[in-house]
């Protein structure tokens, strides 16, 4: 992967200001990761790389966006129409394709030697079998839990991405992407998961360029808007944090399932332009990395609280078919209850959310124990769980979009 560190002046040093973190708070939040990954000592060299790569970008994506910003008369200018044509039908279908577009697709269309498509499919099936608990963990522990740290939430607010009436739609777009990644054949070249992943990479590069150049982003405080460290940390929320979270909800994850899910998201991370050094094969490696990232995070900002409230309150406004008012209130309380389980009272205080007893968790745990220890033991049972999980994912998307799910060209993850 091509990355480059942004030069910084001597006063600013090699790290953004956020790197100082709030160590006692962060150690407390990261304690489960430290215990699960059996971390004895902090790796100062890893912390150094984490800090420096807050100033590193996806250079391949940056080159593509630079070509998109060329003058309209420049034959090397890349248009979004050309990008989508290449994404849907291949670069050879683009007449006189600009060099930057050819270079971009030469990389993403090349499958690394380490990719095992059979293992990817096993990971996708394991991902589907987790059912609703998959989306519960990704929303509650990964997404809202991540809002306890400043930086990425502030960028989301600056882009208008998850505030007000757009909150649930943007969440649905992320779930649409995750669902596509886990579909049968989703990460093959023609699969929806592959195409959405490459599309998201380009969108991230566009956001990075926009906020690097418009002067509205405090680079010395936060690092680059979408940097290598934050991208690698976000990937860790979809693999390691997901696996840790579903276990906490009573879902037994076998060693083979863990390996397959990690492999699935490793390829996703590669397509996203994350440094290969930070694409991990094992949960323990991922948890170790995630723990060190947590140690250097800044405190919660108002953006995190605003985004969290938007997602919690947005549960009342989804497209429920029956008893919409009652269902909306129930789903809001269920979300708060499960957030209490994952984030604790301190986490809810950080985000300005009301504390609700975690009563909703017990039936989830009971159901997951049955699914993962009994039903999951036979091939027929596993196929049943995959179908049930797929239907649950589709229902959640219909709640956010109704009958109109976003296409590749409209996804703004």
């Amino acid at each position: 992967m091509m990355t480059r560190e942004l030069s910084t002046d001597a006063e600013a040093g090699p790290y953004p200001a956020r790197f100082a973190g709030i160590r006692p708070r962060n150690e407390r939040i990261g304690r489960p990761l430290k215990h699960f990954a059996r971390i004895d000592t902090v790796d100062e060299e890893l912390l150094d790389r984490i800090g420096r790569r807050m100033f590193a970008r996806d250079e391949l994506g940056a080159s593509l966006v630079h070509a998109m910003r060329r003058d309209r008369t420049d034959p090397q200018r890349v248009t979004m129409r050309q990008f989508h044509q290449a994404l849907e039908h291949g670069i050879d279908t683009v007449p006189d394709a600009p060099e930057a577009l050819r270079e971009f697709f030469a990389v993403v269309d090349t499958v690394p030697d380490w990719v095992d498509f059979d293992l990817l499919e096993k990971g996708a099936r394991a991902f589907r079998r987790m059912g609703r608990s998959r989306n519960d963990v990704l929303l509650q522990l990964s997404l809202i839990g991540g809002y306890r740290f400043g930086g990425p939430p502030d960028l989301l607010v600056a882009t208008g991405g998850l505030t007000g009436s757009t909150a649930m739609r943007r969440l649905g777009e992320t779930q649409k992407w995750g669902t596509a990644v886990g579909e049968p054949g989703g990460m093959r070249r023609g699969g929806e998961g592959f195409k959405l992943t490459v599309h998201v990479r380009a969108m991230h590069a566009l956001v990075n360029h926009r906020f690097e150049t418009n002067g509205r982003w405090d680079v010395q405080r936060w690092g680059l808007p979408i940097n290598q460290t934050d991208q690698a940390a976000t990937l860790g929320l979809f693999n390691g944090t997901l696996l840790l979270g579903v276990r906490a909800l009573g879902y037994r994850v076998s060693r083979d399932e863990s390996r397959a899910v990690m492999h699935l998201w490793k390829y996703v991370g590669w397509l996203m332009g994350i440094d290969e050094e930070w694409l991990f094969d094992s949960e323990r490696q991922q948890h170790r990395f995630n723990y060190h990232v947590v140690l250097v995070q800044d405190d919660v900002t108002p953006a995190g609280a605003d985004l969290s409230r938007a997602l919690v309150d947005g549960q009342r406004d989804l497209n429920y078919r029956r008893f919409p008012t009652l269902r909306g209130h129930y789903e809001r309380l269920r979300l708060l209850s499960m957030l209490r389980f994952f984030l604790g009272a301190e986490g809810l205080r950080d985000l300005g959310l009301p504390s609700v007893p975690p009563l909703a968790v017990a039936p989830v745990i009971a159901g997951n124990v049955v699914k993962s220890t009994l039903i999951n033991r036979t091939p027929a049972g596993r196929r049943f769980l995959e179908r049930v999980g797929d239907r649950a994912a589709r229902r959640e998307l219909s709640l956010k979009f109704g009958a109109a799910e976003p296409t590749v060209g409209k996804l703004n993850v």
Side-chain angles (χ1 to χ4, degrees), residues 1-9 14 16 49-64 66 201 205 208-209 212-213 219-220 223-231 273-278:
M1 292 297 136
M2 296 188 295
T3 60
R4 178 173 65 85
E5 291 181 8
L6 183 73
S7 61
T8 56
D9 57 46
R49 293 196 298 278
I50 287 170
R52 291 178 183 274
R53 290 183 191 175
M54 290 178 178
F55 286 131
R57 62 175 70 78
D58 165 24
E59 289 296 338
L60 183 67
S63 296
L64 177 69
H66 180 73
R201 180 175 184 172
N208 220 22
H209 176 83
E212 274 193 73
T213 57
V219 173
Q220 297 304 336
L224 292 183
I226 299 179
N227 58 69
Q228 280 289 319
T229 291
D230 286 340
Q231 283 193 285
I274 297 171
D275 285 336
E276 284 200 55
E277 180 190 358
W278 286 349

Side-chain angles (χ1 to χ4, degrees), residues 60-249:
L60 183 67
S63 296
L64 177 69
V65 171
H66 180 73
M68 290 179 173
R69 294 293 182 256
R70 289 177 178 268
D71 187 85
R72 290 180 178 274
T73 61
D74 191 330
Q76 291 303 311
R77 177 176 179 261
V78 176
T79 67
M80 288 303 298
R81 177 177 293 181
Q82 289 174 319
F83 173 79
H84 285 126
Q85 175 68 23
L87 182 59
E88 289 288 344
H89 305 291
I91 186 64
D92 291 337
T93 68
V94 180
D96 301 318
E99 185 61 27
L101 188 66
R102 288 194 173 276
E103 290 177 353
F104 182 85
F105 279 96
V107 172
V108 300
D109 283 340
T110 301
V111 180
D113 292 339
W114 49 261
V115 171
D116 180 337
F117 280 104
D118 289 338
L119 192 57
L120 288 179
E121 289 301 315
K122 290 179 181 178
R125 290 195 295 270
F127 194 62
R128 295 197 298 275
R129 287 196 295 270
M130 294 173 188
R132 186 178 185 182
S133 289
R134 177 188 74 196
N135 282 343
D136 279 341
V137 172
L138 291 176
L139 169 60
Q140 297 150 15
L141 183 59
S142 299
L143 185 62
I144 297 180
Y147 291 162
R148 299 176 71 183
F149 308 109
D154 299 81
L155 179 64
L156 284 172
V157 168
T159 62
L162 280 176
T163 56
S165 61
T166 65
M168 302 311 295
R169 182 172 183 85
R170 290 300 299 272
L171 172 62
E173 289 170 349
T174 302
Q175 290 179 342
K176 167 69 174 177
W177 172 52
T179 298
V181 165
E183 290 177 346
M187 293 308 296
R188 293 280 184 174
R189 176 57 179 88
E192 192 74 357
F194 177 97
K195 291 186 288 187
L196 288 178
T197 299
V198 174
H199 174 84
V200 170
R201 180 175 184 172
M203 295 302 100
H204 282 178
L206 283 164
V207 170
N208 220 22
H209 176 83
R210 172 187 169 195
F211 280 87
E212 274 193 73
T213 57
N214 67 10
R216 293 172 52 198
W217 184 251
D218 190 343
V219 173
Q220 297 304 336
R221 180 182 181 187
W222 300 120
L224 292 183
I226 299 179
N227 58 69
Q228 280 289 319
T229 291
D230 286 340
Q231 283 193 285
T234 299
L235 181 68
L237 300 177
F238 283 86
N239 55 25
T241 301
L242 169 67
L243 294 169
L244 197 64
V246 294
R247 285 193 181 95
L249 291 178

